[in-house]
Amino acid sequence: MSGVHVPVGHPPVVFCTPGNRDLCEKIVTHLSWTTGKARFSTFANSEISLNLEQSVANHDVFVVCSRDDCESELNFMLMQLLLLLDALKSEAPHRITVVLPCVEYARQDKKFEAGEAIAPKLLLHLMVTAGADRFVTIDLHNQAEAGFSPAHAALDELTCEKYLANFIRENVPEFKPEETLVCATDAGGAKRTRKMADELQVGFMMADKFRVKAGEFSQVKIISDTSQNPKNVIIIDDMFDTCGSLVKVADAVHKFAPEAKLFAVGTHGYFSKDAHEKIAKITSACGFQWIAVTNCISPRMPQQKFQTVGISDRLKIIDISRLVAGAIIGYTWAPVLIYTSFDSWDPWIQIHSCLKPNLCQLLSTR
């Protein structure tokens, strides 16, 4: 009987939608597991077809869905996710947890005018209807969005703050806290940037938009809590989309501290439209060094765009696969873990070192 493997609890399995498979592969590599088998195809009339190629009955299922503009259009990807959830639910799994490193439609989280939809709330309800039991995401645009999930389907928010901070320490040349400031792009990001300032033990500043006269274009004013002349200023934001705000803030910071080197760090990097061209301009005009984002969104398309304008070396990618892997371990083996908090998993901590020794062998066989 020594050759018979007796499963403990509900065997975990990780599936992935076609986009950003690189992130999913890194996650399962940390876990020493393999990716679940599912085959996607498209009919001649553009309808999506899906076939599961393995049993998930009584399994603890995790589905990683991350945007990849090189692979498919956003709404097409979401439809793939819904079909995958429905197919998995029909096979009687123990639980389905959807890992959304970036919640799409996140900025449509409130009604500015009558008749507008609250898109992220609708999206979460659609996924629950399709079969999701729980959600995991990283750095919500608005933390109130955690309440959009139906009552019986929890939404857990992880933070990659320690990953960003560690990257800054290692990649800002001759990083010294007393010579560095972090800058919030607006009042809404002040709390996030204050936390980063505390993590790095550096000073804080904030960009504030105002109008000198009614009807004029808004200007950006820098508000700082220190009188020091910084050598490095790091602009912090949760996402970079068209980068219009980044350009204005970088220009204002450059006028405030003309000798300082500028950097930008954020969690989600969309880099839509001509964002790469805007960054190329501030690189030459404002002493802008680089911009760093995580691989919550696939970096393939942004990397191609940056390469077309000759600034491929200005885009830095921070890997957060270990953070997600730690959360998956937490959900799967929570009763037997020594380290129980995964919301800010340190990038330098080895996952298996936080597990009881008798589980390491078991995890490696999954």
Side-chain angles (χ1 to χ4, degrees), residues 67-85:
R67 180 177 185 146
D68 187 346
D69 291 330
C70 284
E71 181 68 31
S72 63
E73 189 267 339
L74 167 63
N75 298 297
F76 188 88
M77 177 202 75
L78 293 176
M79 191 64 200
Q80 288 176 322
L81 172 61
L82 294 174
L83 289 176
L84 178 56
L85 293 175

Side-chain angles (χ1 to χ4, degrees), residues 207-225:
D208 185 34
K209 297 177 183 177
F210 71 101
R211 298 180 190 274
V212 178
K213 296 180 180 179
E216 291 187 353
F217 289 107
S218 61
Q219 300 180 21
V220 178
K221 178 174 63 176
I222 297 298
I223 303 173
S224 176
D225 65 358

